[in-house]
């Protein structure tokens, strides 16, 4: 992705402390319960495998048996999942870069949580996403799957991130977007790093907003696990949506690092490495360039 990297982690940590989310506990609970629901309702996984994955994820999230069985409405309004072969097709690193279509409010009948989120294929990667709650101002959040004790790292109102918001034109419409790069890379034998960078439209830099080093193996990062399987998706929490304004992702691109530590070229996510999931909760497609651009509304 273009531009030099500038370390802005201290500023983003400070913003998280200065602008706390008054609904933080409910938001965190909803996030965890939704992840179990996405596994349980996955249309392309056999029922027995779904239950195995639900149990594994509940253990990872340190949730009890009752939480595993609690029904949650919603699912995936629309979005991209990686094919299993492509999900595991990296050796020492993987990165996802995309523009999140993130209006200042979702509109319509949204009265619960709604996320525009993604992972970069690594099982222990991060989600750097835009979170909506009803019609209140949206927030940018980072959840690190490599930190089970302290996974929540950034939580900042979009209104405080003006330099990272810009407008772009696609398919005859103008969208407000945020450019996010999400990287998981091996920095030494048995040591991996998660990073999140935001494209600063005012300076032309990639601003490093989050970083964490941890012990892991390639086998763990590329395990046959539900985690890391979703690319950009609209994650939903209601049974039906209507009247929402466009949400989605543009220029969805990935890059792979090989066994020798060499990064390949960035490439747009093609249809043959991914597929579309929709749980029929009211969203319909404005456009889809398979599968690197999409916009949906209800």
């Amino acid at each position: 992705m273009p531009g030099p990297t500038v370390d802005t982690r201290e500023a983003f940590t400070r913003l998280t402390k200065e602008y706390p989310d008054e609904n933080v506990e409910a938001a965190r609970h909803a996030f965890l319960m939704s992840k179990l629901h996405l596994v349980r309702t996955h249309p392309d996984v056999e029922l027995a495998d779904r239950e195995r994955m639900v149990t594994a994820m509940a253990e990872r999230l340190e949730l009890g048996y009752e939480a595993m069985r609690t029904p949650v409405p919603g699912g995936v309004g629309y979005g991209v999942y990686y094919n299993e072969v492509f999900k595991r097709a990296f050796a020492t690193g993987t990165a996802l870069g995309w523009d999140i279509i993130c209006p200042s409010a979702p509109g319509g009948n949204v009265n619960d949580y709604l996320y525009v989120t993604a992972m970069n294929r690594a099982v222990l990667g991060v989600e750097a996403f835009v979170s909506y709650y009803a019609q209140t101002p949206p927030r940018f959040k980072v959840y690190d799957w490599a930190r089970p004790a302290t996974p929540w790292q950034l939580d900042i109102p979009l209104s405080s991130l003006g330099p990272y918001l810009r407008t772009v034109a696609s398919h005859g419409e103008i969208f407000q977007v945020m450019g996010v790069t999400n990287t998981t890379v091996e920095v030494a034998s048995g040591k991996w790093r998660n990073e999140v960078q935001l494209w600063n439209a005012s300076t032309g830099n990639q601003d490093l907003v989050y970083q964490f080093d941890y012990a892991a193996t390639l086998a763990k990062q590329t395990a046959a696990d539900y985690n890391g399987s979703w690319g950009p998706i609209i994650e939903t929490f209601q049974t039906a949506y209507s009247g929402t304004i466009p949400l989605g992702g543009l220029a969805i691109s990935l890059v792979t690092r090989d066994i020798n530590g060499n990064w390949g070229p960035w490439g747009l996510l093609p249809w043959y490495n991914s597929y579309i999931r929709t749980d029929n909760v009211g969203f319909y497609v404005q456009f889809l360039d398979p599968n690197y651009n999409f916009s949906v509304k209800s």
Side-chain angles (χ1 to χ4, degrees):
M1 306 298 283
T5 298
V6 176
D7 192 340
T8 59
R9 286 176 290 170
E10 184 177 343
F12 272 70
T13 299
R14 185 178 66 252
L15 286 171
T16 294
K17 294 177 180 178
E18 289 179 359
Y19 299 99
D21 184 355
E22 61 183 20
N23 299 310
V24 62
E25 292 305 323
R28 292 179 177 182
H29 178 74
F31 178 92
L32 300 182
M33 298 303 294
S34 175
K35 290 298 179 281
L36 293 181
H37 180 74
L38 294 188
V39 181
R40 185 177 292 113
T41 59
H42 198 309
D44 292 323
V45 178
E46 295 294 331
L47 183 60
D49 290 331
R50 290 186 213 170
E51 289 307 307
R52 175 182 59 80
M53 291 180 176
V54 166
T55 300
M57 181 166 282
E59 291 175 353
R60 177 183 288 129
L61 298 174
E62 300 182 354
L63 298 173
Y65 179 84
E66 289 303 318
M68 292 168 57
R69 296 295 178 261
T70 302
V72 177
V76 177
Y78 190 88
V80 181
Y81 274 65
Y82 305 120
N83 292 340
E84 184 61 27
V85 172
F86 181 64
K87 176 185 180 295
R88 304 172 70 180
F90 63 92
T92 59
T94 177
L96 166 72
W98 62 307
D99 282 341
I100 302 177
I101 298 176
C102 52
S104 297
N109 71 336
V110 178
N111 59 22
D112 206 322
Y113 293 97
L114 182 68
Y115 303 149
V116 189
T117 188
M119 291 192 74
N120 65 15
R121 299 184 290 175
V123 170
L124 297 177
V126 304
E127 289 185 68
F129 64 103
V130 174
S131 170
Y132 295 92
Y133 179 70
Q135 302 300 319
T136 61
R139 302 179 71 90
F140 172 72
K141 302 191 178 191
V142 169
Y143 184 95
D144 192 334
W145 286 93
R147 307 180 73 162
T150 56
W152 293 101
Q153 292 298 311
L154 297 179
D155 188 346
I156 303 168
L158 251 60
S159 58
S160 298
L161 300 178
Y164 304 99
L165 300 173
R166 68 190 199 281
T167 56
V168 300
S170 184
H171 291 260
E173 291 204 36
I174 303 297
F175 301 100
Q176 176 173 274
V177 301
M178 170 183 282
V180 179
T181 302
N182 177 345
T183 303
T184 301
V185 60
E186 188 177 33
V187 294
S189 179
K191 182 180 180 181
W192 289 72
R193 173 175 294 163
N194 287 338
E195 289 187 349
V196 176
Q197 297 177 333
L198 298 183
W199 170 248
N200 189 322
S202 64
T203 64
N205 296 325
Q206 288 280 8
D207 286 356
L208 177 66
V209 302
Y210 175 75
Q211 184 182 92
F212 177 65
D213 292 355
Y214 56 97
T217 63
L218 176 60
K220 184 62 176 177
Q221 296 285 21
T222 60
D225 194 303
Y226 180 77
N227 236 41
S229 64
W230 60 93
I233 61 171
I234 312 300
E235 189 172 337
T236 57
F237 292 79
Q238 298 173 207
T239 55
Y241 290 81
S242 63
T244 57
I245 59 181
L247 299 164
L250 301 176
I252 301 165
S253 305
L254 288 106
V255 63
T256 298
R257 193 168 181 250
D258 66 21
I259 193 67
N260 297 315
N262 300 311
W263 286 104
W266 282 94
L268 295 170
L269 179 64
W271 61 268
Y272 51 81
N273 283 336
S274 57
Y275 61 94
I276 298 297
R277 173 176 171 177
T278 177
D279 291 352
N280 300 313
V281 292
F283 287 95
Y284 64 89
V285 182
Q286 282 192 293
F287 60 81
L288 170 65
D289 299 321
N291 281 325
Y292 54 88
N293 288 329
F294 72 87
S295 172
V296 296
K297 61 182 181 179
S298 63

